[in-house]
Every structure is written in C-alpha cells, then in structure tokens.
Amino acid sequence: MAAAEPKAPAGAATARRLARSCWAAFWDYETPKVIVVKNRRLGVVYRLVQLLILLYFVWYVFIVQKSYQDRETGPESSVITKVKGVTSSEHKVWDVEEYVKPPEGGSVFSIVTRIEATPSQTVGTCPESVRVTNATCGSDEDCVAGHLDMLGNGVRTGRCVPYYHGAFKTCEVSGWCPVEDGASVSQFLGKMAPNFTILIKNSIHYPKFQFSKGNIENRENGYLKRCTFDEVSHLYCPIFKLGFIVEQAGENFTELAHWGGVIGVIITWDCDLDLPASKCNPKYSFRRLDPKHIPASSGYNFRFAKYYKVNGSTTRTLIKAYGIRIDVIVHGQGSFLCDWILLTFMNKNKVYSHKKFDKVCTPRQSSGSWPVTLALVLGQAPPPPCPCSKDDPGQAGGPQDEGRSQALASPPPQPRHSCDPPDQMVDAPERGAGPGPCASQDSTLTDPRGLAQL
C-alpha cells in the first residue's frame, strides 16, 4: 500500500488564499455611492456650513489676510538724523555740537536737557562720596588702605577725613577730586528744547520685489527749510519738533527733560505693491520705551568729561547728563500678487509666463530613442540647432534648385540666431494660425514616444 502524501501546513494554505484574494482585489474597480437625502432641515444646515466656509475664505483669507499675495517683512532700511536749535542755561548758551550725543546723526541719539557738572577735577586725594557703601567712618581703622570699591571713585588711602559739608567723615580716596557729589552744579537746558527740530531721513528697500522708496518728497531744494511735519499736508516733510514728539508719546515735557527718558519714533512701511508706488506711504507713531513706572530704573542719564590743561596739569569737567534719547525704529512689510495669480488670471499672463519660464526648442528630426529625447527635455544633453527658419536649409530638392538663381539675385534675409522670446513680449497668435519659429511639423517626429502626454 502506497504511503500517504504529507499534507501542506495550514499556515501555508492560508497565506496562498490571502495572496490570491489580494491579487484578485487589486484589479477591482471601486466607485463611491452617493445617497441623496430629501430633507429640507438637513439641507439648510448643509448649505449654511458651506456658506460659512465660503465666507471664511472670501472675507478672512482673501480680504483681511490677503493670502493671495506674496509677502516680505523687515525691509532693508537706512536712517540719517539731524538736530537743529539753540538753547541757554543759567551760565551759558548751548548749541547742537554740545547737547547732541553722539553727533554722527544715526538712528539712536540723545538730546541733553539737564546737566550736573563737576568742574576743575584733578588727580589727587579727597573724601569719598557718602553715597558709596561703607564710605562713612569714625576713625582711620574703619578705612582699609588699598581697598578699591567698584562703585566708588578711587583707591582708599586708609585715612578718615571730614566730608565736604556736614559733621560726618568719609574714607579718603585717591582719584579725580573733588568727587561728583562734592562740588556738582546743576544746569537746566530744557527752556528752548521743545522747539528743537529733528530731521529724520529714512529710505527702505524690499529686495524680493525690487522696490525702494524714501520719506522725503522730490521737490525743490528749499522745501525742507520752510516745512514741518504734518500728517495731512506735509507727510513727506520728516522734520519734527522735539515738543511734538514728546506730546505725541503722551509725556510731560518738563518732567521728561528733568529726569530723562527714551522715546521711540516708529516708522511703518506697509505697502501693497499691487497698487501704484504713490500709495506706499510711511506711517509715524511715537511712544515711550523705558519703564517710567519703575522707580529703580526710570529716567535716562549718562556721563562724559571734557579735558583741558591748567598750568601744565590735566584738568577735566565731569558732566552727568540727563536727556531725551530718540530711537528711530523702522519696520513694515511689502506684499505682491503671487505667481499663481499672475500666470492664471492676469490679462498679460503670457507675458509673465515668458518672463518666468524658459522655452526649450526640440529638434524636427527624431533624436532616435527615448533616453535621448528625455535627456534633451531634462537639460542633461545639449540640444541640436533649433530650426527657427521656415525653410529647412538642410533639405535639398528640386524646388530649391529651381529657385537658386532668384535667391542669388535678391539680398538674403537676416537669419535668427536664437529661438528665445524677445525681452518685450506681446501676446502670441494661436498655434493654429500658421507655422512659426520652432513649430513642429509632425508630432511623431518630435515626440516619437508620446513624451508630451506625461
């Protein structure tokens, strides 16, 4: 009796059945089934949802956000400033060279409105300021010789000496004497400061759209000498009075000039470049930038010194200056129609298309094989000379030979050396209007494998 054949494992049979079913299902055709529900209430809800979606895209996306536009934020900007005016204090007259720091005319500068001057300082020994921590003393033992306090005015000598005024004593230091608290004189320069004029010259550039503009109007040379800024009548006269800037920032000028502060002049260039360049205008806003409500850090001041010689020894005047610092801040964004709008809906979409895309001429004769044609389209192989002329000079025949004598009698036409479209593009005629440069005579010759159908 013959031996029974071994049975295949159950798992293998299951795998074969699954493979056959997947292979059969691969060739199935599926189509969705649509069910129409005749219910007015459900239909109203459905149409309302559609309307809300439509309103969202039309109103918010296109009108509010203008998402059809390409945007560029943060324009390239340059700022040049110039201050003019004269003022006086209790002891002298001050001009621009003295109260504007720094004098270069950049986007950040300070106008000094009050000073505390310590004149005739020389290098020597004198009592330390009472404001310095642990500066007061009762005897020499309280002062360590050679000790240097980073917040002090010099190196301690180890002696305890009487202060400039009063009955208390402080440690003696070696440095510029007398120290600032000992002989400072306060002078207020803010009497005429509200009438100071500030020229803010600003120009911006959006490199993505190749758009540039400035905030000074192209007028006669003397225009800026007789105008001041007005948002309606003199928008392109960027000459501001200091009092006007402080007022627009919502500050009290006298208080600000006494303790100092930082005012920001913000220039905004939000330009819709779909509109003419005259519609792209700067917008000015003013606000205080330093935290005035925090007593520990409110106000603005800085120190500088003026040096000179007296009887051959170096002497200086130390000045603690309070003033109004102006920070010119420029920002904005430019927007322009995106490529899809230009290439689809504009009247001159063919002109934009010719500017954006390069046309490649394919040869009249077949390249011989699929790989060669594909390489020509992808730019991986040099294309053969493009037949831009109507008559193919490479074809020899009776008609050419018969008319050769007539061609010699007339001047030859100027050949076209390139198939590229000219710089000034116009709307080209339809393809069926007649043969043109680089027009293919037979699709089977230029596209033997049906490459145009990809």
Side-chain angles (χ1 to χ4, degrees), residues 361-370 372-374 376-377 382-388 390-396 438-449:
C361 297
T362 57
R364 292 180 184 272
Q365 302 297 330
S366 174
S367 301
S369 64
W370 166 270
V372 175
T373 304
L374 182 60
L376 287 172
V377 174
C386 180
C388 292
K390 184 176 181 181
D391 297 329
D392 190 353
Q395 295 179 355
C438 308
S440 57
Q441 302 294 331
D442 192 349
S443 63
T444 61
L445 294 179
T446 60
D447 196 6
R449 301 279 184 177

PDB file of all heavy atoms in Angstrom, residues 361-370 372-374 376-377 382-388 390-396 438-449:
ATOM      1  N   CYS A 361      13.484  74.491 -27.379  1.00  0.00           N
ATOM      2  CA  CYS A 361      13.103  74.034 -28.714  1.00  0.00           C
ATOM      3  C   CYS A 361      13.581  72.600 -28.913  1.00  0.00           C
ATOM      4  O   CYS A 361      14.750  72.289 -28.683  1.00  0.00           O
ATOM      5  CB  CYS A 361      13.715  74.940 -29.782  1.00  0.00           C
ATOM      6  SG  CYS A 361      13.115  76.636 -29.692  1.00  0.00           S
ATOM      7  N   THR A 362      12.686  71.731 -29.349  1.00  0.00           N
ATOM      8  CA  THR A 362      13.069  70.350 -29.657  1.00  0.00           C
ATOM      9  C   THR A 362      13.344  70.223 -31.141  1.00  0.00           C
ATOM     10  O   THR A 362      12.770  70.948 -31.965  1.00  0.00           O
ATOM     11  CB  THR A 362      11.964  69.376 -29.254  1.00  0.00           C
ATOM     12  OG1 THR A 362      10.761  69.750 -29.931  1.00  0.00           O
ATOM     13  CG2 THR A 362      11.733  69.434 -27.743  1.00  0.00           C
ATOM     14  N   PRO A 363      14.219  69.310 -31.577  1.00  0.00           N
ATOM     15  CA  PRO A 363      14.579  69.195 -33.000  1.00  0.00           C
ATOM     16  C   PRO A 363      13.431  68.659 -33.833  1.00  0.00           C
ATOM     17  O   PRO A 363      12.535  67.974 -33.335  1.00  0.00           O
ATOM     18  CB  PRO A 363      15.753  68.206 -32.962  1.00  0.00           C
ATOM     19  CG  PRO A 363      15.525  67.406 -31.737  1.00  0.00           C
ATOM     20  CD  PRO A 363      14.926  68.338 -30.753  1.00  0.00           C
ATOM     21  N   ARG A 364      13.464  69.002 -35.152  1.00  0.00           N
ATOM     22  CA  ARG A 364      12.452  68.492 -36.074  1.00  0.00           C
ATOM     23  C   ARG A 364      12.608  66.987 -36.277  1.00  0.00           C
ATOM     24  O   ARG A 364      11.637  66.255 -36.314  1.00  0.00           O
ATOM     25  CB  ARG A 364      12.552  69.204 -37.425  1.00  0.00           C
ATOM     26  CG  ARG A 364      12.164  70.691 -37.377  1.00  0.00           C
ATOM     27  CD  ARG A 364      12.309  71.270 -38.777  1.00  0.00           C
ATOM     28  NE  ARG A 364      12.044  72.710 -38.765  1.00  0.00           N
ATOM     29  CZ  ARG A 364      10.853  73.246 -38.902  1.00  0.00           C
ATOM     30  NH1 ARG A 364       9.792  72.462 -39.025  1.00  0.00           N
ATOM     31  NH2 ARG A 364      10.693  74.554 -38.889  1.00  0.00           N
ATOM     32  N   GLN A 365      13.829  66.548 -36.418  1.00  0.00           N
ATOM     33  CA  GLN A 365      14.096  65.144 -36.648  1.00  0.00           C
ATOM     34  C   GLN A 365      14.103  64.396 -35.332  1.00  0.00           C
ATOM     35  O   GLN A 365      14.440  64.940 -34.301  1.00  0.00           O
ATOM     36  CB  GLN A 365      15.441  64.971 -37.373  1.00  0.00           C
ATOM     37  CG  GLN A 365      15.521  65.703 -38.707  1.00  0.00           C
ATOM     38  CD  GLN A 365      14.509  65.195 -39.728  1.00  0.00           C
ATOM     39  OE1 GLN A 365      14.154  64.010 -39.692  1.00  0.00           O
ATOM     40  NE2 GLN A 365      14.042  66.072 -40.603  1.00  0.00           N
ATOM     41  N   SER A 366      13.729  63.127 -35.406  1.00  0.00           N
ATOM     42  CA  SER A 366      13.704  62.312 -34.202  1.00  0.00           C
ATOM     43  C   SER A 366      15.103  62.134 -33.659  1.00  0.00           C
ATOM     44  O   SER A 366      16.064  61.951 -34.402  1.00  0.00           O
ATOM     45  CB  SER A 366      13.082  60.944 -34.518  1.00  0.00           C
ATOM     46  OG  SER A 366      13.179  60.099 -33.400  1.00  0.00           O
ATOM     47  N   SER A 367      15.227  62.198 -32.327  1.00  0.00           N
ATOM     48  CA  SER A 367      16.530  62.012 -31.707  1.00  0.00           C
ATOM     49  C   SER A 367      16.962  60.569 -31.713  1.00  0.00           C
ATOM     50  O   SER A 367      18.092  60.264 -31.344  1.00  0.00           O
ATOM     51  CB  SER A 367      16.503  62.541 -30.274  1.00  0.00           C
ATOM     52  OG  SER A 367      16.163  63.905 -30.278  1.00  0.00           O
ATOM     53  N   GLY A 368      16.037  59.670 -32.078  1.00  0.00           N
ATOM     54  CA  GLY A 368      16.461  58.285 -32.240  1.00  0.00           C
ATOM     55  C   GLY A 368      15.961  57.361 -31.165  1.00  0.00           C
ATOM     56  O   GLY A 368      15.677  56.209 -31.437  1.00  0.00           O
ATOM     57  N   SER A 369      15.849  57.784 -29.952  1.00  0.00           N
ATOM     58  CA  SER A 369      15.447  56.876 -28.887  1.00  0.00           C
ATOM     59  C   SER A 369      14.851  57.669 -27.743  1.00  0.00           C
ATOM     60  O   SER A 369      15.024  58.871 -27.647  1.00  0.00           O
ATOM     61  CB  SER A 369      16.646  56.056 -28.393  1.00  0.00           C
ATOM     62  OG  SER A 369      17.613  56.901 -27.814  1.00  0.00           O
ATOM     63  N   TRP A 370      14.124  56.947 -26.883  1.00  0.00           N
ATOM     64  CA  TRP A 370      13.521  57.556 -25.669  1.00  0.00           C
ATOM     65  C   TRP A 370      14.547  58.180 -24.757  1.00  0.00           C
ATOM     66  O   TRP A 370      14.354  59.295 -24.285  1.00  0.00           O
ATOM     67  CB  TRP A 370      12.688  56.500 -24.951  1.00  0.00           C
ATOM     68  CG  TRP A 370      12.305  56.880 -23.554  1.00  0.00           C
ATOM     69  CD1 TRP A 370      12.989  56.635 -22.427  1.00  0.00           C
ATOM     70  CD2 TRP A 370      11.143  57.602 -23.166  1.00  0.00           C
ATOM     71  NE1 TRP A 370      12.349  57.146 -21.346  1.00  0.00           N
ATOM     72  CE2 TRP A 370      11.199  57.758 -21.752  1.00  0.00           C
ATOM     73  CE3 TRP A 370      10.047  58.145 -23.836  1.00  0.00           C
ATOM     74  CZ2 TRP A 370      10.211  58.395 -21.041  1.00  0.00           C
ATOM     75  CZ3 TRP A 370       9.070  58.787 -23.119  1.00  0.00           C
ATOM     76  CH2 TRP A 370       9.148  58.914 -21.742  1.00  0.00           C
ATOM     77  N   VAL A 372      17.411  59.588 -25.311  1.00  0.00           N
ATOM     78  CA  VAL A 372      17.974  60.827 -25.851  1.00  0.00           C
ATOM     79  C   VAL A 372      16.948  61.950 -25.751  1.00  0.00           C
ATOM     80  O   VAL A 372      17.251  63.081 -25.361  1.00  0.00           O
ATOM     81  CB  VAL A 372      18.431  60.611 -27.301  1.00  0.00           C
ATOM     82  CG1 VAL A 372      18.910  61.930 -27.901  1.00  0.00           C
ATOM     83  CG2 VAL A 372      19.521  59.562 -27.354  1.00  0.00           C
ATOM     84  N   THR A 373      15.692  61.666 -26.097  1.00  0.00           N
ATOM     85  CA  THR A 373      14.645  62.687 -26.003  1.00  0.00           C
ATOM     86  C   THR A 373      14.451  63.143 -24.562  1.00  0.00           C
ATOM     87  O   THR A 373      14.323  64.324 -24.265  1.00  0.00           O
ATOM     88  CB  THR A 373      13.325  62.130 -26.560  1.00  0.00           C
ATOM     89  OG1 THR A 373      13.557  61.682 -27.890  1.00  0.00           O
ATOM     90  CG2 THR A 373      12.244  63.212 -26.562  1.00  0.00           C
ATOM     91  N   LEU A 374      14.438  62.198 -23.615  1.00  0.00           N
ATOM     92  CA  LEU A 374      14.280  62.549 -22.212  1.00  0.00           C
ATOM     93  C   LEU A 374      15.438  63.400 -21.714  1.00  0.00           C
ATOM     94  O   LEU A 374      15.261  64.359 -20.971  1.00  0.00           O
ATOM     95  CB  LEU A 374      14.153  61.280 -21.370  1.00  0.00           C
ATOM     96  CG  LEU A 374      13.923  61.495 -19.860  1.00  0.00           C
ATOM     97  CD1 LEU A 374      12.636  62.271 -19.645  1.00  0.00           C
ATOM     98  CD2 LEU A 374      13.898  60.166 -19.139  1.00  0.00           C
ATOM     99  N   LEU A 376      17.205  65.437 -23.519  1.00  0.00           N
ATOM    100  CA  LEU A 376      17.071  66.782 -24.078  1.00  0.00           C
ATOM    101  C   LEU A 376      16.082  67.615 -23.270  1.00  0.00           C
ATOM    102  O   LEU A 376      16.313  68.782 -22.978  1.00  0.00           O
ATOM    103  CB  LEU A 376      16.604  66.698 -25.538  1.00  0.00           C
ATOM    104  CG  LEU A 376      17.641  66.217 -26.568  1.00  0.00           C
ATOM    105  CD1 LEU A 376      16.971  66.012 -27.909  1.00  0.00           C
ATOM    106  CD2 LEU A 376      18.786  67.184 -26.673  1.00  0.00           C
ATOM    107  N   VAL A 377      14.961  67.010 -22.869  1.00  0.00           N
ATOM    108  CA  VAL A 377      13.950  67.757 -22.125  1.00  0.00           C
ATOM    109  C   VAL A 377      14.445  68.123 -20.739  1.00  0.00           C
ATOM    110  O   VAL A 377      14.226  69.211 -20.229  1.00  0.00           O
ATOM    111  CB  VAL A 377      12.650  66.927 -22.053  1.00  0.00           C
ATOM    112  CG1 VAL A 377      11.628  67.633 -21.156  1.00  0.00           C
ATOM    113  CG2 VAL A 377      12.068  66.744 -23.443  1.00  0.00           C
ATOM    114  N   PRO A 382      23.079  68.508 -24.655  1.00  0.00           N
ATOM    115  CA  PRO A 382      22.941  69.731 -25.459  1.00  0.00           C
ATOM    116  C   PRO A 382      21.970  69.524 -26.604  1.00  0.00           C
ATOM    117  O   PRO A 382      22.078  68.524 -27.337  1.00  0.00           O
ATOM    118  CB  PRO A 382      24.375  69.999 -25.950  1.00  0.00           C
ATOM    119  CG  PRO A 382      25.022  68.670 -25.916  1.00  0.00           C
ATOM    120  CD  PRO A 382      24.424  67.910 -24.796  1.00  0.00           C
ATOM    121  N   PRO A 383      20.991  70.414 -26.770  1.00  0.00           N
ATOM    122  CA  PRO A 383      20.042  70.241 -27.874  1.00  0.00           C
ATOM    123  C   PRO A 383      20.692  70.576 -29.204  1.00  0.00           C
ATOM    124  O   PRO A 383      21.623  71.381 -29.279  1.00  0.00           O
ATOM    125  CB  PRO A 383      18.941  71.240 -27.534  1.00  0.00           C
ATOM    126  CG  PRO A 383      19.622  72.288 -26.742  1.00  0.00           C
ATOM    127  CD  PRO A 383      20.695  71.596 -25.975  1.00  0.00           C
ATOM    128  N   PRO A 384      20.228  69.939 -30.278  1.00  0.00           N
ATOM    129  CA  PRO A 384      20.755  70.265 -31.614  1.00  0.00           C
ATOM    130  C   PRO A 384      20.279  71.642 -32.037  1.00  0.00           C
ATOM    131  O   PRO A 384      19.414  72.230 -31.400  1.00  0.00           O
ATOM    132  CB  PRO A 384      20.140  69.167 -32.497  1.00  0.00           C
ATOM    133  CG  PRO A 384      18.905  68.745 -31.774  1.00  0.00           C
ATOM    134  CD  PRO A 384      19.221  68.866 -30.325  1.00  0.00           C
ATOM    135  N   PRO A 385      20.858  72.211 -33.088  1.00  0.00           N
ATOM    136  CA  PRO A 385      20.452  73.548 -33.543  1.00  0.00           C
ATOM    137  C   PRO A 385      18.963  73.587 -33.817  1.00  0.00           C
ATOM    138  O   PRO A 385      18.392  72.659 -34.380  1.00  0.00           O
ATOM    139  CB  PRO A 385      21.292  73.763 -34.813  1.00  0.00           C
ATOM    140  CG  PRO A 385      22.455  72.849 -34.654  1.00  0.00           C
ATOM    141  CD  PRO A 385      21.950  71.656 -33.897  1.00  0.00           C
ATOM    142  N   CYS A 386      18.348  74.660 -33.368  1.00  0.00           N
ATOM    143  CA  CYS A 386      16.901  74.787 -33.469  1.00  0.00           C
ATOM    144  C   CYS A 386      16.515  75.367 -34.816  1.00  0.00           C
ATOM    145  O   CYS A 386      17.049  76.401 -35.225  1.00  0.00           O
ATOM    146  CB  CYS A 386      16.393  75.694 -32.363  1.00  0.00           C
ATOM    147  SG  CYS A 386      14.623  75.892 -32.435  1.00  0.00           S
ATOM    148  N   PRO A 387      15.612  74.723 -35.517  1.00  0.00           N
ATOM    149  CA  PRO A 387      15.208  75.226 -36.835  1.00  0.00           C
ATOM    150  C   PRO A 387      14.224  76.366 -36.688  1.00  0.00           C
ATOM    151  O   PRO A 387      13.021  76.151 -36.627  1.00  0.00           O
ATOM    152  CB  PRO A 387      14.557  74.004 -37.487  1.00  0.00           C
ATOM    153  CG  PRO A 387      14.024  73.213 -36.355  1.00  0.00           C
ATOM    154  CD  PRO A 387      14.965  73.439 -35.214  1.00  0.00           C
ATOM    155  N   CYS A 388      14.758  77.549 -36.546  1.00  0.00           N
ATOM    156  CA  CYS A 388      13.893  78.708 -36.346  1.00  0.00           C
ATOM    157  C   CYS A 388      13.421  79.310 -37.661  1.00  0.00           C
ATOM    158  O   CYS A 388      12.630  80.222 -37.652  1.00  0.00           O
ATOM    159  CB  CYS A 388      14.621  79.771 -35.519  1.00  0.00           C
ATOM    160  SG  CYS A 388      14.891  79.232 -33.835  1.00  0.00           S
ATOM    161  N   LYS A 390      11.681  79.169 -41.488  1.00  0.00           N
ATOM    162  CA  LYS A 390      10.535  78.487 -42.073  1.00  0.00           C
ATOM    163  C   LYS A 390      10.977  77.393 -43.015  1.00  0.00           C
ATOM    164  O   LYS A 390      10.395  76.298 -43.055  1.00  0.00           O
ATOM    165  CB  LYS A 390       9.638  79.518 -42.762  1.00  0.00           C
ATOM    166  CG  LYS A 390       8.347  78.904 -43.318  1.00  0.00           C
ATOM    167  CD  LYS A 390       7.468  79.986 -43.892  1.00  0.00           C
ATOM    168  CE  LYS A 390       6.172  79.376 -44.429  1.00  0.00           C
ATOM    169  NZ  LYS A 390       5.286  80.372 -45.020  1.00  0.00           N
ATOM    170  N   ASP A 391      11.992  77.631 -43.821  1.00  0.00           N
ATOM    171  CA  ASP A 391      12.507  76.656 -44.777  1.00  0.00           C
ATOM    172  C   ASP A 391      13.718  75.990 -44.190  1.00  0.00           C
ATOM    173  O   ASP A 391      14.591  76.639 -43.655  1.00  0.00           O
ATOM    174  CB  ASP A 391      12.873  77.328 -46.110  1.00  0.00           C
ATOM    175  CG  ASP A 391      11.639  77.933 -46.767  1.00  0.00           C
ATOM    176  OD1 ASP A 391      10.527  77.372 -46.559  1.00  0.00           O
ATOM    177  OD2 ASP A 391      11.779  78.960 -47.456  1.00  0.00           O
ATOM    178  N   ASP A 392      13.772  74.659 -44.312  1.00  0.00           N
ATOM    179  CA  ASP A 392      14.892  73.905 -43.772  1.00  0.00           C
ATOM    180  C   ASP A 392      16.023  73.924 -44.774  1.00  0.00           C
ATOM    181  O   ASP A 392      15.899  73.373 -45.870  1.00  0.00           O
ATOM    182  CB  ASP A 392      14.444  72.471 -43.471  1.00  0.00           C
ATOM    183  CG  ASP A 392      15.476  71.714 -42.681  1.00  0.00           C
ATOM    184  OD1 ASP A 392      16.585  72.244 -42.488  1.00  0.00           O
ATOM    185  OD2 ASP A 392      15.178  70.590 -42.256  1.00  0.00           O
ATOM    186  N   PRO A 393      17.155  74.548 -44.441  1.00  0.00           N
ATOM    187  CA  PRO A 393      18.244  74.611 -45.410  1.00  0.00           C
ATOM    188  C   PRO A 393      18.890  73.260 -45.637  1.00  0.00           C
ATOM    189  O   PRO A 393      19.596  73.056 -46.608  1.00  0.00           O
ATOM    190  CB  PRO A 393      19.226  75.602 -44.786  1.00  0.00           C
ATOM    191  CG  PRO A 393      18.942  75.531 -43.330  1.00  0.00           C
ATOM    192  CD  PRO A 393      17.499  75.262 -43.205  1.00  0.00           C
ATOM    193  N   GLY A 394      18.650  72.313 -44.707  1.00  0.00           N
ATOM    194  CA  GLY A 394      19.282  71.016 -44.882  1.00  0.00           C
ATOM    195  C   GLY A 394      18.599  70.135 -45.883  1.00  0.00           C
ATOM    196  O   GLY A 394      19.119  69.078 -46.261  1.00  0.00           O
ATOM    197  N   GLN A 395      17.373  70.454 -46.361  1.00  0.00           N
ATOM    198  CA  GLN A 395      16.654  69.648 -47.325  1.00  0.00           C
ATOM    199  C   GLN A 395      16.996  70.122 -48.727  1.00  0.00           C
ATOM    200  O   GLN A 395      16.886  71.283 -49.060  1.00  0.00           O
ATOM    201  CB  GLN A 395      15.146  69.765 -47.084  1.00  0.00           C
ATOM    202  CG  GLN A 395      14.697  69.177 -45.733  1.00  0.00           C
ATOM    203  CD  GLN A 395      13.224  69.336 -45.537  1.00  0.00           C
ATOM    204  OE1 GLN A 395      12.573  69.965 -46.361  1.00  0.00           O
ATOM    205  NE2 GLN A 395      12.706  68.754 -44.474  1.00  0.00           N
ATOM    206  N   ALA A 396      17.410  69.208 -49.547  1.00  0.00           N
ATOM    207  CA  ALA A 396      17.759  69.500 -50.941  1.00  0.00           C
ATOM    208  C   ALA A 396      16.689  68.930 -51.838  1.00  0.00           C
ATOM    209  O   ALA A 396      16.220  67.805 -51.657  1.00  0.00           O
ATOM    210  CB  ALA A 396      19.125  68.900 -51.293  1.00  0.00           C
ATOM    211  N   CYS A 438      10.247  77.559 -34.597  1.00  0.00           N
ATOM    212  CA  CYS A 438      10.356  76.375 -33.752  1.00  0.00           C
ATOM    213  C   CYS A 438       9.073  75.562 -33.746  1.00  0.00           C
ATOM    214  O   CYS A 438       8.864  74.741 -32.878  1.00  0.00           O
ATOM    215  CB  CYS A 438      10.720  76.716 -32.312  1.00  0.00           C
ATOM    216  SG  CYS A 438      12.154  77.752 -32.210  1.00  0.00           S
ATOM    217  N   ALA A 439       8.150  75.779 -34.679  1.00  0.00           N
ATOM    218  CA  ALA A 439       6.922  74.996 -34.705  1.00  0.00           C
ATOM    219  C   ALA A 439       7.223  73.620 -35.255  1.00  0.00           C
ATOM    220  O   ALA A 439       7.920  73.452 -36.242  1.00  0.00           O
ATOM    221  CB  ALA A 439       5.870  75.695 -35.561  1.00  0.00           C
ATOM    222  N   SER A 440       6.689  72.606 -34.632  1.00  0.00           N
ATOM    223  CA  SER A 440       6.957  71.229 -35.075  1.00  0.00           C
ATOM    224  C   SER A 440       6.006  70.877 -36.205  1.00  0.00           C
ATOM    225  O   SER A 440       4.810  71.146 -36.147  1.00  0.00           O
ATOM    226  CB  SER A 440       6.803  70.271 -33.902  1.00  0.00           C
ATOM    227  OG  SER A 440       5.523  70.385 -33.352  1.00  0.00           O
ATOM    228  N   GLN A 441       6.495  70.210 -37.292  1.00  0.00           N
ATOM    229  CA  GLN A 441       5.708  69.821 -38.450  1.00  0.00           C
ATOM    230  C   GLN A 441       4.966  68.518 -38.221  1.00  0.00           C
ATOM    231  O   GLN A 441       3.897  68.307 -38.730  1.00  0.00           O
ATOM    232  CB  GLN A 441       6.615  69.703 -39.677  1.00  0.00           C
ATOM    233  CG  GLN A 441       7.374  70.985 -40.005  1.00  0.00           C
ATOM    234  CD  GLN A 441       6.447  72.087 -40.437  1.00  0.00           C
ATOM    235  OE1 GLN A 441       5.388  71.815 -40.984  1.00  0.00           O
ATOM    236  NE2 GLN A 441       6.814  73.326 -40.166  1.00  0.00           N
ATOM    237  N   ASP A 442       5.550  67.616 -37.440  1.00  0.00           N
ATOM    238  CA  ASP A 442       4.945  66.312 -37.243  1.00  0.00           C
ATOM    239  C   ASP A 442       5.200  65.884 -35.816  1.00  0.00           C
ATOM    240  O   ASP A 442       6.343  65.806 -35.389  1.00  0.00           O
ATOM    241  CB  ASP A 442       5.560  65.291 -38.209  1.00  0.00           C
ATOM    242  CG  ASP A 442       4.758  63.984 -38.233  1.00  0.00           C
ATOM    243  OD1 ASP A 442       3.880  63.843 -37.352  1.00  0.00           O
ATOM    244  OD2 ASP A 442       5.017  63.135 -39.104  1.00  0.00           O
ATOM    245  N   SER A 443       4.129  65.618 -35.042  1.00  0.00           N
ATOM    246  CA  SER A 443       4.309  65.239 -33.653  1.00  0.00           C
ATOM    247  C   SER A 443       4.993  63.908 -33.519  1.00  0.00           C
ATOM    248  O   SER A 443       5.647  63.625 -32.530  1.00  0.00           O
ATOM    249  CB  SER A 443       2.948  65.212 -32.952  1.00  0.00           C
ATOM    250  OG  SER A 443       2.126  64.226 -33.537  1.00  0.00           O
ATOM    251  N   THR A 444       4.887  63.066 -34.538  1.00  0.00           N
ATOM    252  CA  THR A 444       5.573  61.762 -34.444  1.00  0.00           C
ATOM    253  C   THR A 444       7.065  61.895 -34.579  1.00  0.00           C
ATOM    254  O   THR A 444       7.814  61.035 -34.129  1.00  0.00           O
ATOM    255  CB  THR A 444       5.040  60.825 -35.530  1.00  0.00           C
ATOM    256  OG1 THR A 444       5.304  61.406 -36.808  1.00  0.00           O
ATOM    257  CG2 THR A 444       3.525  60.614 -35.384  1.00  0.00           C
ATOM    258  N   LEU A 445       7.527  62.999 -35.199  1.00  0.00           N
ATOM    259  CA  LEU A 445       8.969  63.189 -35.324  1.00  0.00           C
ATOM    260  C   LEU A 445       9.561  63.797 -34.064  1.00  0.00           C
ATOM    261  O   LEU A 445      10.627  63.394 -33.604  1.00  0.00           O
ATOM    262  CB  LEU A 445       9.257  64.090 -36.533  1.00  0.00           C
ATOM    263  CG  LEU A 445       8.886  63.496 -37.912  1.00  0.00           C
ATOM    264  CD1 LEU A 445       9.192  64.501 -38.997  1.00  0.00           C
ATOM    265  CD2 LEU A 445       9.605  62.173 -38.182  1.00  0.00           C
ATOM    266  N   THR A 446       8.905  64.822 -33.523  1.00  0.00           N
ATOM    267  CA  THR A 446       9.453  65.492 -32.341  1.00  0.00           C
ATOM    268  C   THR A 446       9.161  64.754 -31.056  1.00  0.00           C
ATOM    269  O   THR A 446       9.833  64.956 -30.070  1.00  0.00           O
ATOM    270  CB  THR A 446       8.886  66.921 -32.245  1.00  0.00           C
ATOM    271  OG1 THR A 446       7.475  66.815 -32.141  1.00  0.00           O
ATOM    272  CG2 THR A 446       9.268  67.724 -33.466  1.00  0.00           C
ATOM    273  N   ASP A 447       8.138  63.921 -31.047  1.00  0.00           N
ATOM    274  CA  ASP A 447       7.748  63.209 -29.825  1.00  0.00           C
ATOM    275  C   ASP A 447       7.431  61.763 -30.153  1.00  0.00           C
ATOM    276  O   ASP A 447       6.276  61.317 -30.124  1.00  0.00           O
ATOM    277  CB  ASP A 447       6.510  63.898 -29.212  1.00  0.00           C
ATOM    278  CG  ASP A 447       6.309  63.472 -27.772  1.00  0.00           C
ATOM    279  OD1 ASP A 447       7.173  62.757 -27.255  1.00  0.00           O
ATOM    280  OD2 ASP A 447       5.273  63.842 -27.197  1.00  0.00           O
ATOM    281  N   PRO A 448       8.437  60.965 -30.547  1.00  0.00           N
ATOM    282  CA  PRO A 448       8.173  59.603 -31.040  1.00  0.00           C
ATOM    283  C   PRO A 448       7.601  58.706 -29.956  1.00  0.00           C
ATOM    284  O   PRO A 448       6.933  57.754 -30.269  1.00  0.00           O
ATOM    285  CB  PRO A 448       9.557  59.144 -31.475  1.00  0.00           C
ATOM    286  CG  PRO A 448      10.514  59.931 -30.657  1.00  0.00           C
ATOM    287  CD  PRO A 448       9.872  61.255 -30.509  1.00  0.00           C
ATOM    288  N   ARG A 449       7.856  58.978 -28.705  1.00  0.00           N
ATOM    289  CA  ARG A 449       7.375  58.085 -27.640  1.00  0.00           C
ATOM    290  C   ARG A 449       6.174  58.655 -26.869  1.00  0.00           C
ATOM    291  O   ARG A 449       5.816  58.159 -25.821  1.00  0.00           O
ATOM    292  CB  ARG A 449       8.517  57.833 -26.663  1.00  0.00           C
ATOM    293  CG  ARG A 449       9.723  57.217 -27.318  1.00  0.00           C
ATOM    294  CD  ARG A 449       9.577  55.729 -27.497  1.00  0.00           C
ATOM    295  NE  ARG A 449      10.786  55.123 -28.056  1.00  0.00           N
ATOM    296  CZ  ARG A 449      10.924  53.813 -28.257  1.00  0.00           C
ATOM    297  NH1 ARG A 449       9.936  53.010 -27.930  1.00  0.00           N
ATOM    298  NH2 ARG A 449      12.028  53.335 -28.771  1.00  0.00           N
TER     299      ARG A 449
END
